[in-house]
Amino acid sequence: MNDLISIITPTYNSGKFIVETIDSVIKQTYQNWEMIIVDDCSNDNTKELVGKYTEQDNRIKYHLLEKNSGAAIARNKAMELASGTYIAFLDSDDLWNEDKLERQLSFMKDNNYYFTCTAYEQVDEEGKPLNKTINTKIKTNYNGVLLNCPVGNSTVMYNVKKLGKFMVPNIRKRNDDALWLQILKKEKYIYGMHDVLMKYRLRRNSISSNKVELIKYHWYLYRKIEHLSISRSLFHIFYWIVIKLLKIK
């Protein structure tokens, strides 16, 4: 079990968090990885902080986009540069448990799975536990992700050798969901580990914290990318609103 895992990390103004994120990768019990950090033209100290790591560890690679283009473009560039047998996703403010890669890779190889995710816990902006765990499902297909995506972006890993590379649709938010839906058109299921292997940081004033603003991204995903009917798109948006109002997820 010595396959190279390419870790995809788009970043924008994450200087406050990215050191912890990189450290959580360096501490992995599985060490055959490359971390590809693509900077979407940050105007904070992200470049300097990452530079200290690239000087010391050639597994950590930094690429600066020519202009601010959004997370989807940054993710696509990182995937283009990736050379691993597997791709794992890690946002620049999230944290992995030390055995995340080792356990997830074993889970995939033992069960012959090509596309997987794990459970995760939520922490606040300062990294303090919020005592909330987001569980995943044993397996979820295209329609399941479309209805209520159970996938935490920074928990996902898939086999590039078997499934190939995918282009992330260029929308500012929900581009991760759009990517999973693309993969699920080729691979029937995403399989979930119930182990909590990631800490998801809830940040104040993030795009995803503005639920009203998110509705337009959902609508674009359903209508323009997945080409659902108006009635089905409205159903999915209504379903999502109910879930958020009831605080199910």
Side-chain angles (χ1 to χ4, degrees):
M1 192 175 76
N2 198 37
D3 295 287
L4 177 66
I5 300 174
S6 297
I7 301 163
I8 304 303
T9 303
T11 187
Y12 177 70
N13 287 350
S14 294
K16 183 179 177 183
F17 312 107
I18 199 165
V19 166
E20 278 188 273
T21 299
I22 297 173
D23 284 342
S24 79
V25 173
I26 292 173
K27 292 175 183 176
Q28 288 298 301
T29 54
Y30 186 88
Q31 285 287 299
N32 191 21
W33 50 261
E34 62 174 0
M35 185 178 191
I36 304 171
I37 300 171
V38 175
D39 190 342
D40 193 21
C41 297
S42 297
N43 52 34
D44 64 356
N45 62 341
T46 294
K47 183 177 181 180
E48 290 73 27
L49 291 171
V50 175
K52 293 178 181 178
Y53 285 94
T54 58
E55 289 173 3
Q56 299 170 8
D57 193 331
N58 60 14
R59 296 174 300 175
I60 300 171
K61 302 167 185 180
Y62 175 84
H63 180 87
L64 179 65
L65 294 181
E66 293 182 359
K67 63 178 182 178
N68 180 262
S69 305
I73 299 301
R75 224 173 243 130
N76 280 335
K77 185 61 182 179
M79 292 177 74
E80 176 190 321
L81 296 170
S83 54
T85 301
Y86 293 84
I87 280 180
F89 297 89
L90 176 60
D91 286 344
S92 58
D93 51 2
D94 292 336
L95 304 167
W96 279 348
N97 291 19
E98 291 183 7
D99 56 354
K100 192 264 187 190
L101 289 180
E102 181 180 4
R103 291 174 65 182
Q104 191 167 9
L105 185 58
S106 293
F107 174 71
M108 295 177 75
K109 286 180 171 291
D110 290 348
N111 295 285
N112 201 29
Y113 294 154
Y114 299 150
F115 185 27
T116 65
C117 60
T118 80
Y120 61 96
E121 64 176 312
Q122 294 182 346
V123 297
D124 66 16
E125 192 159 318
E126 285 68 44
K128 297 176 182 177
L130 293 172
N131 300 316
K132 183 172 182 180
T133 297
I134 307 299
N135 293 310
T136 188
K137 298 179 180 178
I138 295 174
K139 63 180 182 180
T140 309
N141 62 11
Y142 175 92
N143 287 326
V145 169
L146 198 63
L147 186 64
N148 180 27
C149 183
V151 181
N153 179 72
S154 294
T155 75
V156 172
M157 187 157 74
Y158 83 93
N159 189 319
V160 185
K161 187 175 181 180
K162 296 294 184 180
L163 300 180
K165 292 186 178 181
F166 297 82
M167 291 292 291
V168 184
N170 188 18
I171 51 176
R172 286 275 173 173
K173 206 65 188 173
R174 288 296 173 258
N175 53 73
D176 48 354
D177 290 5
L179 176 58
W180 316 146
L181 291 170
Q182 275 197 42
I183 297 174
L184 286 167
K185 291 172 185 174
K186 188 170 184 178
E187 176 68 4
K188 189 171 183 180
Y189 297 109
I190 180 168
Y191 294 89
M193 292 180 69
H194 291 305
D195 309 68
V196 176
L197 299 178
M198 187 270 284
K199 294 180 176 64
Y200 172 73
R201 196 186 302 267
L202 284 175
R203 292 171 59 179
R204 298 180 290 272
N205 303 318
S206 68
I207 297 177
S208 58
S209 68
N210 186 334
K211 304 306 182 190
V212 175
E213 182 75 5
L214 273 177
I215 291 174
K216 73 177 184 182
Y217 292 104
H218 279 283
W219 181 257
Y220 190 90
L221 171 62
Y222 300 145
R223 291 288 293 149
K224 302 299 183 181
I225 296 176
E226 295 305 309
H227 306 293
L228 303 184
S229 66
I230 291 176
S231 58
R232 191 176 178 191
S233 298
L234 287 171
F235 166 78
H236 281 292
I237 286 176
F238 177 76
Y239 188 90
W240 178 80
I241 290 172
V242 169
I243 286 174
K244 294 305 174 184
L245 287 175
L246 295 178
K247 296 182 178 181
I248 296 172
K249 182 182 176 187

